[in-house]
Amino acid sequence: IPQQKKALFQLIENPVKDWARLLFAQDGTKTITVTTLQGQVLQTFTTTDELAVVNLSTYSSGMYLISSQLEGMQHTVKVVKQ
């Protein structure tokens, strides 16, 4: 039986109002990037926290992509900002 890959992080709620909270499954330094659906990078930062909070309060309502990289692994989710 093939093992299912575990996601690098979980978005705690979706849609979000001002803050997206990401719960990580692994320790280490993660690089988090927020982009538009067209690929424009809006912010990038690093964290070692198990729970990362991404400030989306200055962005217009709509859909964005939040991705994280850790040790060669990458995971991306769509987030709806209200």
Side-chain angles (χ1 to χ4, degrees), residues 5-74:
K5 274 190 180 178
K6 200 172 190 182
L8 187 56
F9 68 89
Q10 193 175 21
L11 188 61
I12 293 179
E13 58 185 88
N14 196 7
V16 300
K17 208 167 198 168
D18 292 327
W19 305 92
R21 296 179 299 150
L22 312 177
L23 183 61
F24 286 90
Q26 290 183 280
D27 292 332
T29 301
K30 303 104 176 160
T31 302
I32 299 170
T33 305
V34 179
T35 60
T36 64
L37 295 180
Q38 292 76 30
Q40 178 186 2
V41 176
L42 301 175
Q43 67 174 294
T44 299
F45 65 95
T46 59
T47 185
T48 56
D49 296 336
E50 185 180 323
L51 178 67
V53 179
V54 182
N55 185 353
L56 303 176
S57 64
T58 60
Y59 304 141
S60 302
S61 298
M63 266 208 248
Y64 297 90
L65 298 174
I66 297 178
S67 61
S68 180
Q69 291 184 316
L70 170 67
E71 299 172 359
M73 296 180 292
Q74 182 170 341

